[in-house]
Amino acid sequence: MSHEQSLLWSWTDSQDTVSLRELSHCCGLTEDELDDLVAYRALKPVSPATPERVFSAQWVMPLRNAARLRVDYDLDMFTVAILLDKLTRIEMLQRQVQSLQARLPAHLQSDLGA
C-alpha cells in the first residue's frame, strides 16, 4: 500500500480536514471541478467563510468514486453533483445498518450474514 493510499484510509476514519488542493489531488477532480460541486451545493466546505476552504476528509472516498464513475460514463459535473449526493447517502445508510446489526445478539447476526 502506498503512502497516499494509507493516508486516504486514515482520512476516511477520522475527523481530519483537507484543503481544496489536497482534495483535488486525492480524488482525481480538478480544483475547478470541485468548485463546481461547491456551487451546486453537492460538496460543502467545513467553513465556507474562510479564504482557504477546507473540507472534511470524509469527502475523499465518495469523490474518488464519483470521479471514477464520471470517467467511466462520461458524466457532466451537474450529474456528478447528483451522483455524489446519492453516494454519500448510500454510505450513511450503510453505516446505520452496520451500527444496527452490531447491536443485535450474536445468534441473530449470523442469521443475517453479518
Side-chain angles (χ1 to χ4, degrees), residues 33 36-37 39-42 70 75-85:
E33 290 168 334
D36 287 346
L37 293 175
Y40 290 134
R41 297 179 185 212
R70 178 180 188 226
L75 304 174
D76 60 54
M77 287 312 292
F78 181 75
T79 304
V80 171
I82 295 169
L83 178 65
L84 183 60
D85 176 60

Side-chain angles (χ1 to χ4, degrees), residues 45-113:
V46 172
S47 56
T50 60
E52 166 126 15
R53 289 176 294 174
V54 294
F55 300 86
S56 167
Q58 292 179 347
W59 284 108
V60 172
M61 293 311 293
L63 282 167
R64 284 177 60 94
N65 291 334
R68 180 182 45 79
L69 292 169
R70 178 180 188 226
V71 171
D72 289 350
Y73 296 104
D74 192 28
L75 304 174
D76 60 54
M77 287 312 292
F78 181 75
T79 304
V80 171
I82 295 169
L83 178 65
L84 183 60
D85 176 60
K86 301 310 174 198
L87 289 172
T88 55
R89 178 83 173 131
I90 289 168
E91 185 177 315
M92 182 200 59
L93 291 170
Q94 287 175 328
R95 283 194 307 265
Q96 287 177 349
V97 167
Q98 289 170 350
S99 175
L100 291 171
Q101 286 175 338
R103 295 178 186 172
L104 289 174
H107 70 281
L108 292 177
Q109 287 181 14
S110 62
D111 291 343
L112 294 174

Side-chain angles (χ1 to χ4, degrees), residues 10-18 46 54-58 95:
S10 71
W11 279 351
T12 58
D13 293 332
S14 70
Q15 297 300 317
D16 289 340
T17 58
V18 293
V46 172
V54 294
F55 300 86
S56 167
Q58 292 179 347
R95 283 194 307 265

